[in-house]
Amino acid sequence: MSGGLLVAGTTSDAGKSVVTAGICRWLVRQGVTVAPFKAQNMSLNSFVTREGAEIGRAQAMQAQACRIEPTALMNPVLLKPGGERSSQVVLLGKPVGELSARGYHGGRQQKLLGTVLDCLAELRGTYDAVICEGAGSPAEINLRRTDIVNMGIARNARLPVLVVGDIDRGGVFASFFGTVALLSPEDQEFVAGFLVNKFRGDVSLLEPGLDMLHGLTGRRTYGVLPFRHGLGIDEEDGMAVSLRSTVRESHVAPPVGQDVLRVAVCAIPLMSNFTDVDALAAEPGVVVRFVDRPEELADADLVVVPGTRGTVRALQWLRERGLADALVSRAADGRPVLGVCGGFQILGEHIEDDVESRAGQVDGLGVLPVRVRFAREKTLTRPVGEALGEHVEGYEIHHGVADVTGGETFLDGCRVGAVWGTHWHGSLESDGFRRAFLREVAAAAGRRFVPAPGTSFAALREEQLDRLGDLIEEHADTDALWRLIESGAPQGLPFIPPGAPA
């Protein structure tokens, strides 16, 4: 049997996805064949595999860290929130229905455990190691009975557990201790130790606390990862992005031309695949920010209306905020607007939705000659084509079927003046197409902006993944980590009271 590890966290956003990717990249650089795995993911940021399966983008990114193609096995259960209390359930890459949180945790989740374990077993039979990512915290005592992503899978698959804590938030020692102490004796047997994430300062000042934590729990710390800027990856939750910040804290080269391009992204409800604009943010001289007020569009050279899990709800939000009128005015003035997926649908003439919102026919913004009808079957494809004289690749995830009745052809959508619309996510990652598109935007906006000729988004992503691997290699005890992956949790780990409530 191959080796395995479950990377859990004291909280959501503790750094599980980053650590998992870093361990994967470190292992593959050692000649180990490795695959990522997350039993259950809740995310609106998803991806389509080559076989047409929808999985979380974090697992697709982790597969890239492993230098392998992502598959549905790596994320068998994906939950896509459609409101405060319900989500679409995607099983093995295909939607199987909508469930309330109560309905899912009330029985459906536990029934999926067999499927999840089968997927993990298939991966472990194929690769030398499988690095699993947990969700939230393993100490969610209200959800432990039906858990299939943290200790539920660790115990069933006999995986050692490494608990990651974000020290930048404060309280990391209490979080580590409390996480273990709220687990049952049976669960605690699999918690091997800890990994500190986002540390700033002198590690020697931290070491006395790590020694005390070892004394209190009998569990060692496998590494202290320093805080690093610019390590943002494909997050699971669009709300992790501040509405008034740049997309990434990375250091980008100065602009090639005399002007910069300012891109405003409408922060619509249930925003999905907001990573579409990452390729723009990686361009020297392109400034990207998320906005939620009409006046914030005034100085933008390009406005992006992104994808959403709730097209009709997002359209209503745009109207309530005054952003809809601002978008229509921009289109009339010949100022650039790009709609992607749900954003493309919003820019059309009308939407007929008896599937997602069940609102029936709703008027769109009417700036593109497009009529959209929502189908029950979801489109999940990896299209390849040409636009603006350049090769383009992308992926599609949508229920809406667009009937384009005019304008110039643009990918699967259309263009009218300086307004573009398409269902293709990820198209801006195609370097030649992105540069051609930005030249069009600059001309329409009257900016003396010149795209940098050598920017490769794929190369930048590889550099980023290598930096994650470097973090693990340089700041974790990799010998001890490999023993953990190969042999499992140490025997005889002490029980820390009080344990999980009966």
Side-chain angles (χ1 to χ4, degrees):
M1 181 180 287
S2 71
L5 175 70
L6 176 69
V7 179
T10 56
T11 62
S12 295
D13 203 32
K16 297 184 291 292
S17 295
V18 168
V19 169
T20 300
I23 292 174
C24 287
R25 179 48 63 99
W26 160 65
L27 285 172
V28 81
R29 293 196 306 206
Q30 311 309 307
V32 178
T33 64
V34 59
F37 180 79
K38 185 162 185 172
Q40 172 195 294
N41 200 344
M42 178 172 279
S43 178
L44 289 173
N45 204 17
S46 59
F47 184 73
V48 179
T49 67
R50 293 206 181 276
E51 69 268 26
E54 185 180 8
I55 66 171
R57 268 198 73 107
Q59 280 61 65
M61 174 275 304
Q62 290 160 357
Q64 188 175 347
C66 298
R67 298 181 178 144
I68 58 176
E69 276 290 325
T71 73
L73 294 174
M74 298 171 186
N75 179 208
V77 182
L78 173 64
L79 305 178
K80 303 194 72 176
E84 295 296 325
R85 297 186 178 182
S86 67
S87 294
Q88 182 181 65
V89 181
V90 179
L91 179 62
L92 292 175
K94 304 296 180 183
V96 295
E98 296 272 344
L99 276 180
S100 67
R102 181 178 293 276
Y104 183 69
H105 291 288
R108 175 68 172 174
Q109 183 181 33
Q110 187 65 21
K111 292 177 182 177
L112 296 174
L113 179 60
T115 300
V116 162
L117 291 172
D118 288 345
C119 291
L120 177 56
E122 187 170 341
L123 289 173
R124 296 185 81 180
T126 305
Y127 296 92
D128 296 332
V130 178
I131 308 303
C132 307
E133 179 186 342
S137 162
E140 306 287 0
I141 55 179
N142 56 316
L143 302 176
R144 176 61 185 91
R145 182 177 60 84
T146 57
D147 170 44
I148 65 169
V149 66
N150 290 308
M151 300 313 300
I153 196 166
R155 276 177 60 182
N156 275 280
R158 305 197 66 78
L159 293 171
V161 178
L162 184 68
V163 180
V164 178
D166 179 356
I167 197 170
D168 198 47
R169 296 183 174 191
V172 74
F173 292 114
S175 298
F176 281 145
F177 183 87
T179 296
V180 179
L182 279 176
L183 300 178
S184 69
E186 296 80 8
D187 284 349
Q188 288 191 24
E189 289 178 14
F190 292 90
V191 179
F194 314 105
L195 187 76
V196 177
N197 192 28
K198 299 183 185 178
F199 179 73
R200 306 173 193 250
D202 185 346
V203 176
S204 66
L205 298 177
L206 188 67
E207 287 171 350
L210 300 179
D211 291 340
M212 285 186 274
L213 182 67
H214 188 199
L216 288 166
T217 66
R219 290 158 174 85
R220 59 166 299 174
T221 297
Y222 284 76
V224 178
L225 307 186
F227 188 96
R228 288 285 186 267
H229 286 284
L231 287 182
I233 56 170
D234 295 352
E235 290 103 336
E236 296 176 358
D237 186 358
M239 294 308 293
V241 181
S242 168
L243 297 185
R244 293 179 180 81
S245 70
T246 54
V247 179
R248 298 283 180 256
E249 294 178 311
S250 54
H251 300 287
V252 179
V256 174
Q258 294 177 282
D259 287 342
V260 299
L261 277 186
R262 295 172 176 84
V263 179
V265 184
C266 296
I268 55 181
L270 299 174
M271 180 171 51
S272 63
N273 292 79
F274 63 94
T275 46
D276 283 336
V277 299
D278 278 4
L280 294 179
E283 279 285 343
V286 176
V287 180
V288 179
R289 67 184 189 274
F290 287 80
V291 303
D292 59 356
R293 295 194 297 257
E295 55 267 30
E296 293 177 298
L297 305 188
D299 67 343
D301 301 305
L302 170 67
V303 174
V304 178
V305 187
T308 173
R309 172 80 166 87
T311 302
V312 171
R313 176 178 169 184
L315 178 57
Q316 181 182 0
W317 181 88
L318 289 168
R319 287 183 166 130
E320 290 171 349
R321 294 270 177 151
L323 285 159
D325 289 340
L327 289 168
V328 172
S329 178
R330 281 186 68 92
D333 292 342
R335 303 181 66 198
V337 177
L338 171 65
V340 180
C341 200
F344 168 41
Q345 297 165 8
I346 285 169
L347 297 177
E349 295 171 354
H350 72 250
I351 299 164
E352 187 179 331
D353 181 11
D354 295 319
V355 176
E356 192 175 75
S357 67
R358 297 181 176 85
Q361 186 164 311
V362 178
D363 289 337
L365 300 188
V367 297
L368 288 177
V370 178
R371 299 175 182 179
V372 176
R373 176 185 56 82
F374 273 64
R376 297 199 176 276
E377 190 74 18
K378 183 185 281 191
T379 297
L380 295 168
T381 62
R382 290 274 291 272
V384 176
E386 186 175 300
L388 305 180
E390 299 286 347
H391 176 78
V392 192
E393 297 183 17
Y395 58 99
E396 294 185 55
I397 306 170
H398 54 91
H399 285 279
V401 178
D403 178 20
V404 179
T405 60
E408 301 175 45
T409 299
F410 178 71
L411 301 176
D412 71 321
C414 65
R415 170 187 182 176
V416 174
V419 181
W420 296 264
T422 177
H423 275 129
W424 289 23
H425 294 290
S427 63
L428 294 168
E429 295 179 19
S430 298
D431 297 325
F433 168 71
R434 181 180 64 254
R435 287 191 278 269
F437 177 72
L438 289 174
R439 283 192 290 268
E440 295 261 349
V441 169
R447 294 289 184 187
R448 292 171 295 177
F449 168 85
V450 179
T455 303
S456 167
F457 186 76
L460 290 171
R461 171 54 57 87
E462 277 297 302
E463 290 173 13
Q464 193 177 47
L465 292 172
D466 276 332
R467 291 177 67 195
L468 296 180
D470 293 343
L471 271 183
I472 298 299
E473 191 166 336
E474 296 169 9
H475 300 283
D477 185 339
T478 52
D479 289 339
L481 197 57
W482 175 245
R483 287 195 298 272
L484 194 62
I485 293 169
E486 190 176 40
S487 305
Q491 297 296 308
L493 292 170
F495 168 68
I496 308 302

